Amino acid sequence: MKAMILAAGRGKRMMPLTEHMPKPMLTVNGKPLLQYHIERLASAGIKEIVINLAWCGDVIRSTLGDGSEFGVRLIYSDEGGEGLETAGGILNALDLLSDTFIVINGDIYTDYDVSSLTQIALLPHQAHLVLVENPEHNPSGDFSILQGFAHCDENKEDKHTFAGIALYHKSFFAERETAFLPLAPMLREKMAEKLVTAELYIGKWFDIGTPERLAEINQQELNS
């Protein structure tokens, strides 16, 4: 099984920290967010990892190299310009990935054990999402879980936040062409077809979306 880390975003809300630095290379406890993900994937037995590049992608490539330092092989998927958004980035790299593959947002910090995803046997066209408890900046949540399946009913009150961690079958993206394409609409469409399962993770998870949140997590980690 291979994995992909999404690292092509512009990170506009993180300015000026991301003026010359991709958001996933910002540090927590002195270590880049991307490195945490690579090390967790390596510990789970994932030895080939695709990283998509756009904004300041050369910083990622020059810092992490071929991945041998971490015991993995890093494969870079260049998007150029402003990038292709989440689903577009995955579609652009689809030929580099295995039949089932893990995707992690590069701008999160978590202690989630990705090895559990390697034990899930997806059927064709399926996906499995990791949800977390709602943070302060997303109090209404994104999706709910009913009998193991993810739902996007706007009227439900027991919704949780998508963690930016998922397992996909390659055919989940069938009949789609590479373009600037967000992932959320596709997930909602597939949920209506009962093709998306989900789990709720109760553990450490942070969305590093603003300089204030980055400062907060660094303070929490330093005090832990």
Side-chain angles (χ1 to χ4, degrees), residues 49 53 107 117 135 205:
I49 302 169
L53 305 177
D107 59 356
L117 295 178
W205 180 89

Side-chain angles (χ1 to χ4, degrees), residues 126-180:
Q126 282 190 334
H128 178 82
L129 308 184
V130 178
L131 309 184
V132 294
E133 296 177 299
N134 297 330
E136 290 184 4
H137 63 271
N138 191 40
S140 299
D142 302 311
F143 309 121
S144 57
I145 304 174
L146 181 61
Q147 296 180 335
F149 288 93
H151 292 264
C152 57
D153 186 347
E154 295 298 325
N155 297 318
K156 283 189 174 294
E157 297 182 357
D158 58 340
K159 291 191 292 186
H160 310 291
T161 293
F162 178 37
I165 305 169
L167 179 70
Y168 296 98
H169 194 285
K170 188 177 283 189
S171 58
F172 184 85
F173 298 92
E175 300 179 2
R176 304 276 182 168
E177 295 183 1
T178 300
F180 185 86

Side-chain angles (χ1 to χ4, degrees), residues 2 10 17 39 62 72 99-100 119 127 151 184 196 213 215 223:
K2 297 181 182 180
R10 178 71 170 81
L17 299 179
E39 290 173 348
S62 62
V72 300
D99 286 344
T100 58
Q119 307 303 311
H151 292 264
V196 183
R213 285 186 225 156
N223 290 336

Side-chain angles (χ1 to χ4, degrees), residues 22-63:
K23 186 162 58 167
M25 289 301 290
L26 297 174
T27 59
V28 170
N29 260 355
K31 184 188 296 187
L33 289 166
L34 267 177
Q35 186 174 336
Y36 284 104
H37 297 316
I38 292 169
E39 290 173 348
R40 287 193 174 279
L41 288 165
S43 295
I46 306 295
K47 299 304 181 184
E48 292 193 39
I49 302 169
V50 176
I51 301 177
N52 63 335
L53 305 177
W55 177 253
C56 294
D58 56 319
V59 175
I60 295 175
R61 193 193 297 269
S62 62
T63 303

Side-chain angles (χ1 to χ4, degrees), residues 16 27 35 45 73 91 96 102 114 121 132 145 167-168 211 216 224:
T27 59
Q35 186 174 336
R73 177 183 174 224
L91 281 160
L96 303 173
I102 295 168
V114 293
V132 294
I145 304 174
L167 179 70
Y168 296 98
E216 178 187 350
S224 63

